[in-house]
Amino acid sequence: MSYLLEVCADCVQSAIAAQEGGADRIELCSGLVIGGLSPSPCLFKEVKQNTDLKVRVLLRPRFGDFCYDDYELRTIREEVQMFRELGADGVVIGILRPDGTINLEEMEQLVKIADGIGITMHRAFDVCRDPYEALEQCAALGIDTILTSGQESSARKGRGLLAGLHRAARGRIQIMAGAGVGPEVIEELAPETGIKAWHMSGKVVKESQMEFRREGVPMGIPGFSEFEIWQTDAETVRKAANVLQTLEM
């Protein structure tokens, strides 16, 4: 299995930078600063029109936990169908029960609605009760990828579990490492863990074009500046892609 580099992007500019840097795939979302939310269909269309990369769409209706009510579950189902019909290469999903186990009934419904496109179990996996049980359940459901930090705040900290999950997967499902991933982390952890798929944002913080600035008026979470823009840096992605190319040799 060859190496795969996925870049998480929440705007067209980041998607373009991911392609310029040599990424293999985009995970498209909105609100990356809060961990990612479902993107709009208009954003999806713009990304597809301006890049040639495969696009998997993150479907997360709100910030917070992964235990959803009936309204939110219905929203996710409809989003899976909508993005499949729009031509998404895959969806990125995850639903848990209050006890920390995967909600198998709801996930099975989503897999059926996805109807053959790729499916990633997102980082709800990292807050589930038993990662090895969850791995087996994901494989049985037909999910092809698990995005995980090894149930730690970063892939580097979760390296032990990442290696264990990779061994336990036995090629049935791809373990994709994410959280704090960059060129140096890939170079360090890929040989140690055996993991072939890597997920990164490659983000840099850019200054707003606003000349007039009304300070002290937060539009969301206090502490985040309204005059900083997070975007993917093509050169950071390129360095990561080069690391993976070297590892393939």
Side-chain angles (χ1 to χ4, degrees), residues 212-228:
F212 173 77
R213 300 190 177 191
R214 177 79 67 191
E215 301 287 355
V217 187
M219 298 295 165
I221 300 174
F224 285 98
S225 172
E226 305 298 334
F227 303 105
E228 292 180 348

Side-chain angles (χ1 to χ4, degrees), residues 73-150:
L73 292 171
R74 187 157 53 245
T75 297
I76 297 170
R77 290 186 211 112
E78 291 181 4
E79 286 183 325
V80 171
Q81 180 172 338
M82 175 182 68
F83 282 109
R84 176 176 58 78
E85 292 173 350
L86 287 173
D89 300 287
V91 291
V92 184
I93 54 178
I95 303 172
L96 300 181
R97 293 188 180 280
D99 66 358
T101 60
I102 292 178
N103 189 325
L104 294 174
E105 292 77 13
E106 292 295 338
M107 289 292 287
E108 186 174 16
Q109 284 195 58
L110 297 182
V111 170
K112 288 179 179 177
I113 296 168
D115 194 25
I117 63 174
I119 302 175
T120 300
M121 172 70 175
H122 61 45
R123 292 190 63 212
F125 182 90
D126 282 327
V127 291
C128 75
R129 180 183 295 273
D130 184 334
Y132 288 101
E133 177 185 59
L135 184 154
E136 296 301 326
Q137 291 171 335
C138 287
L141 284 168
I143 292 168
D144 61 61
T145 303
I146 294 172
L147 171 61
T148 174
S149 63

Side-chain angles (χ1 to χ4, degrees), residues 34-104:
I34 54 172
L37 300 173
S38 302
S40 72
C42 293
L43 176 58
F44 173 81
K45 291 175 183 177
E46 282 292 318
V47 168
K48 291 295 283 185
Q49 287 172 5
N50 286 278
T51 72
D52 299 319
L53 293 177
K54 293 184 180 297
V55 178
R56 291 198 177 191
V57 181
L58 173 68
L59 301 180
R60 186 183 178 209
R62 56 157 171 79
F63 174 74
D65 64 33
F66 305 101
C67 184
Y68 299 118
D69 63 28
D70 289 341
Y71 304 108
E72 293 163 336
L73 292 171
R74 187 157 53 245
T75 297
I76 297 170
R77 290 186 211 112
E78 291 181 4
E79 286 183 325
V80 171
Q81 180 172 338
M82 175 182 68
F83 282 109
R84 176 176 58 78
E85 292 173 350
L86 287 173
D89 300 287
V91 291
V92 184
I93 54 178
I95 303 172
L96 300 181
R97 293 188 180 280
D99 66 358
T101 60
I102 292 178
N103 189 325
L104 294 174

Side-chain angles (χ1 to χ4, degrees), residues 6-7 9 15 18 24-28 47 51 53-56:
E6 178 180 88
V7 171
D24 300 298
R25 190 169 77 201
I26 295 167
E27 180 196 81
L28 184 65
V47 168
T51 72
L53 293 177
K54 293 184 180 297
V55 178
R56 291 198 177 191

Side-chain angles (χ1 to χ4, degrees), residues 186-200:
I186 295 173
E187 188 170 29
E188 176 186 347
L189 296 189
E192 178 180 335
T193 62
I195 286 176
K196 300 282 190 178
W198 297 87
H199 173 96
M200 63 182 290

